[in-house]
Amino acid sequence: MASVAWPSPLVVVVATYDGRVSDAPWLVNTSAVTYVVYQRHNPSAANYVPNIGMEAGVFLRFIHDNYDALPERTAFLQEHPEMHNRAWYEWMRCLRPTSDYAPLVYVRIMSRDFRSVKDGLHAVAEQCWRNFLSAFGLEHMAKPGARPTHAYYGGALFVASRSQLRRRPREAYGRADALTAGGDGRCHVGALNWTSLYAKREDHAHTVPLDDPQLTKHTQAAAMERLHHTLVGGMGLRAPYRFDWCKHFASSHMCFGSPCHPPKANRTGSV
């Protein structure tokens, strides 16, 4: 377990493959922000986390290992955050000090189930999604056999306060870590729990019935992308469409690049 005196109130965790981040002029430590770059390629090099679940494994491992010594606020990024939001840095700078959790992407997606997952992976993807909920004691949010309708933010970029991360017990992050970087690559061992799934064996001609270590992009990584607002943010499964940007970010009138755009006043001064 880490014991760290962080040099800044904000720490940015960057999940890379090999420790390299290209075209990143923002990657400079200051008194306000410290960057921690993880890599999933070389076990002998610094900040290594096994490449299971892509950025999900890194994010969960950081929270679990630093649970008792988390910084005041942590932002979680992929190595090319601009692919999801070119203004993520401005958003981060415009966060209100009272915000405990906020996405750093604007795109929101509604998913009725997992049938859009390619190559017959809908069942194992749903199983992993349910396993992540169970790891955090939230299995009641998706009733067995019910359609797993949920909304999520496209791209796993978000920021959370120390108090928000600690609203979930360390053991929950440990169970989630065992599904990702602390496991063997499988989000689910053995036969799928068909009675708990909305997906059925006959949904596709080639439904994949067992998880495999090669599927983590479609299982663990996808589950974390679809659930970080719930597991970390404490939001409901469909809540992203009701997120109040101006509650968490300063007005764009006052902070350039903010996603909070209050309506302009008309000539009489009303809005």
Side-chain angles (χ1 to χ4, degrees):
M1 186 183 304
S3 178
V4 177
W6 298 104
S8 64
L10 172 65
V11 169
V12 178
V13 173
V14 187
T16 76
Y17 174 66
D18 57 9
R20 292 180 289 185
V21 184
S22 60
D23 299 321
W26 44 267
L27 193 60
V28 178
N29 290 338
T30 68
S31 60
V33 58
T34 300
Y35 292 92
V36 181
V37 179
Y38 279 84
Q39 53 91 16
R40 313 187 305 273
H41 176 64
N42 185 355
S44 300
N47 295 340
Y48 171 74
V49 172
N51 190 22
I52 301 174
M54 304 181 76
E55 67 278 353
V58 170
F59 296 170
L60 291 166
R61 178 62 58 87
F62 176 86
I63 299 169
H64 180 263
D65 285 356
N66 295 281
Y67 190 85
D68 293 326
L70 288 164
E72 291 181 25
R73 183 174 279 173
T74 308
F76 297 89
L77 304 181
Q78 301 176 26
E79 61 188 88
H80 297 296
E82 69 280 356
M83 294 179 65
H84 295 286
N85 181 7
R86 291 186 178 275
W88 70 268
Y89 186 81
E90 286 77 14
W91 284 30
M92 194 170 65
R93 290 179 58 253
C94 293
L95 273 170
R96 295 186 183 277
T98 54
S99 176
D100 277 329
Y101 166 86
L104 293 175
V105 291
Y106 185 75
V107 174
R108 291 164 289 181
I109 302 168
M110 178 64 75
S111 179
R112 303 292 180 186
D113 48 44
F114 291 81
R115 296 188 188 192
S116 62
V117 181
K118 68 176 186 176
D119 300 330
L121 301 178
H122 60 295
V124 292
E126 181 188 341
Q127 181 72 75
C128 186
W129 182 84
R130 289 179 180 271
N131 288 357
F132 264 76
L133 285 171
S134 295
F136 283 81
L138 300 173
E139 58 271 23
H140 61 277
M141 298 184 73
K143 294 182 180 180
R147 194 170 195 174
T149 302
H150 59 282
Y152 64 98
Y153 297 96
L157 281 66
F158 60 95
V159 58
S161 69
R162 177 196 297 134
S163 61
Q164 181 65 31
L165 293 172
R166 287 182 178 167
R167 287 195 171 103
R168 307 296 188 198
R170 187 171 186 267
E171 292 75 16
Y173 294 106
R175 290 188 290 268
D177 178 74
L179 297 176
T180 52
D184 65 0
R186 291 177 293 177
C187 188
H188 189 80
V189 178
L192 304 184
N193 298 328
W194 290 105
T195 57
S196 71
L197 300 180
Y198 175 77
K200 299 296 181 284
R201 295 175 189 263
E202 65 275 10
D203 282 350
H204 294 298
H206 303 289
T207 300
V208 175
L210 295 172
D211 197 5
D212 184 274
Q214 303 301 314
L215 301 180
T216 68
K217 178 179 180 180
H218 304 287
T219 50
Q220 291 99 321
M224 188 65 177
E225 180 179 20
R226 291 168 180 256
L227 285 172
H228 64 77
H229 68 281
T230 298
L231 305 181
V232 175
M235 299 166 61
L237 291 178
R238 308 184 193 187
Y241 281 96
R242 298 189 296 273
F243 187 76
D244 185 348
W245 299 97
C246 291
K247 179 180 177 181
H248 296 270
F249 295 91
S251 167
S252 57
H253 300 163
M254 304 296 295
C255 189
F256 177 78
S258 171
C260 168
H261 303 294
K264 295 181 180 179
N266 61 26
R267 293 180 180 179
T268 64
S270 61
V271 295

